[in-house]
Amino acid sequence: MGEFIVTEKLTKFYGTVQAVQDLDLQIHSGEIFGFLGPNGAGKTTTIRVMTTLTKPTSGSVRINGFDVVNEPDKVKNVIGVVQQHLSLDRDLTVRENMEFHARLHHLGAAERKKRISELLEYVELADCANRMVDTLSGGMKKRAAIVCSLLHEPKVLFLDEPTVGLDAQGRRRLWDLVRRLNLDGTTIFLTTHYIEEAEALCHRVGIMHHGHLIALDTPEALRKKLGAVAVETLVDNKETRYRFFADRAAAARYVQTLPPNAGTVIIRDSNLEDVFVEQTGEKVGGA
Amino acid sequence: MLNALKDVYSVLWVDLRNLRRHWRSTLATSLVQPILYLVAFGYGLGGGINVGGVSYLAFVIPGIVALTSFSASFNGAASKLQVDRFFYKSFDEFLMSPVSLYSIVVGKALIGVVRGLISSGAILLVGFILSPTLMVNPLLLLVLFTSCFVFALFGVLIALVINSHQGMSTFSNLVMLPMTFLCGTFFSLSQLPEAAKAMLYVLPLTHSSESVRAAALGQPFPWLSFLALLGFGIGFFIGCIVALKKASV
Ligand SMILES: Nc1ncnc2c1ncn2[C@@H]1O[C@H](COP(=O)(O)OP(=O)(O)OP(=O)(O)O)[C@@H](O)[C@H]1O
Ligand SMILES: [Mg+2]
């Protein structure tokens, strides 16, 4: 497993607003990497730099060995991007949008036709191929956007908050699609502020906060580092206190030491939310 | 070179698809203004007047053709690009594709050229029916095509540097509307004081309407104005590239 994306001290300022600061990150080829963080953490900015849309203020990004600033054309051939907002031409059909992307990526007529029908099957949109994008449901729009980014068979797919606004079923369906793409060999870089999504889907997770990478590891390891078991105690019915332990036995021993009037006590597995809160003192979803 | 042309067509393709779906309303909208001008100025106001030896109607029709090439090309290119940037948010897709900035700019301008040629061609046709003194010749077609291209590039540039709907309508009231009436479209600049003339020659539409008129009426052709028009085109093109490069900073 090589390093497919390498950032070194990546920094981006918008005027005086610091969006990303000294980001050092390696994305392995073949993994599903999750970039987790609250609103304004710098997730989209990082993706925009990686996908050549925005120039970094300082630092560098290499994708597949190519520098995004100096060799953008080499980078563009291996990346597929699904932006946070819908970026389809809503006045065209799904198929026309796909054809448009295929043309932009220099696919010949025969290849276009073949790829388009293959991919429509792959994302289960064959029935809607000739419908206007505007008439599709949110989940279908998202899959249409994904399918447009796949026409040139990118090696890495960037998904910026792909499941925002989808219902539970739509979300699961999208997770399945992402897993399938990954099994078929595509490296995935996705951002999310849903804890469950990062835990359910990602091999490794980087947690961003105010432009800084504050944790980076597998969800497993991040939880273990903190303590796999969490004990929540509600103090005086207003403030919840958290303690973390390596296992349930240790947690149970701690609970025994609590005074009888300690209030409600909950023992549960720790999660990435705990990791974030412990590191920052804030909640991912905003306090 | 061939690949660049293919890329240009790929960029144009998506806008052509759009136009194909909406061509009736698009064409109708772009013809309302010039036809109103034709009726109000050509017949209503200028009925018996002569300008430089030709009837006012024959004088004003080429002006209105130039004006139509301006408004239809400019708006055709600018409005679709603004929609792509702010409504569909699809413009980034062009920038993330392997298509070069040059091909993007030309491709995005071409939808304006297509719309400008259709609209000004329609007015030209009406003009021939109304005023047989007008002549169609290769020079006129060359001037018309050049005008459409220059104004479409102007539209692309403005759509790239103005980032809001509000700004767009300010621009159209502050710059486009005065150009519509002042740039030698409805009256001959020779009647104006030198200072006013000098100011109007800074605007591209002046050169377009003088060139279109000379070609259509078979008068001595103002090559200098035609060159100035080309100069504006090159300037707008460079401006577009600079604006696109700046956008990624
Ligand atoms: N074009 C821009 N101009 C100025 N500031 C910007 C721009 N884009 C982003 N920012 C700022 O940079 C910071 C990081 O924004 P970014 O969009 O990368 O966050 P994010 O993690 O994607 O957030 P969200 O979850 O809301 O999408 C924010 O403070 C934001 O206001
Ligand atoms: Mg974002």
PDB file of all heavy atoms in Angstrom, chain B residues 109 114 159 172:
ATOM      1  N   ALA B 109     -17.645  31.328 -24.437  1.00  0.00           N
ATOM      2  CA  ALA B 109     -18.036  32.479 -25.256  1.00  0.00           C
ATOM      3  C   ALA B 109     -18.899  32.030 -26.444  1.00  0.00           C
ATOM      4  O   ALA B 109     -19.786  32.752 -26.880  1.00  0.00           O
ATOM      5  CB  ALA B 109     -16.793  33.218 -25.752  1.00  0.00           C
ATOM      6  N   VAL B 114     -23.262  31.933 -30.791  1.00  0.00           N
ATOM      7  CA  VAL B 114     -24.394  31.246 -31.426  1.00  0.00           C
ATOM      8  C   VAL B 114     -25.672  32.062 -31.253  1.00  0.00           C
ATOM      9  O   VAL B 114     -26.398  32.343 -32.214  1.00  0.00           O
ATOM     10  CB  VAL B 114     -24.577  29.833 -30.834  1.00  0.00           C
ATOM     11  CG1 VAL B 114     -25.887  29.217 -31.301  1.00  0.00           C
ATOM     12  CG2 VAL B 114     -23.400  28.947 -31.209  1.00  0.00           C
ATOM     13  N   ALA B 159     -19.069  38.116 -16.417  1.00  0.00           N
ATOM     14  CA  ALA B 159     -19.656  37.064 -15.584  1.00  0.00           C
ATOM     15  C   ALA B 159     -18.615  36.439 -14.655  1.00  0.00           C
ATOM     16  O   ALA B 159     -18.946  35.890 -13.611  1.00  0.00           O
ATOM     17  CB  ALA B 159     -20.290  35.989 -16.455  1.00  0.00           C
ATOM     18  N   SER B 172     -25.400  46.263 -15.873  1.00  0.00           N
ATOM     19  CA  SER B 172     -26.186  46.403 -17.094  1.00  0.00           C
ATOM     20  C   SER B 172     -26.859  47.767 -17.161  1.00  0.00           C
ATOM     21  O   SER B 172     -27.022  48.323 -18.240  1.00  0.00           O
ATOM     22  CB  SER B 172     -27.153  45.212 -17.230  1.00  0.00           C
ATOM     23  OG  SER B 172     -28.453  45.590 -16.981  1.00  0.00           O
TER      24      SER B 172
END
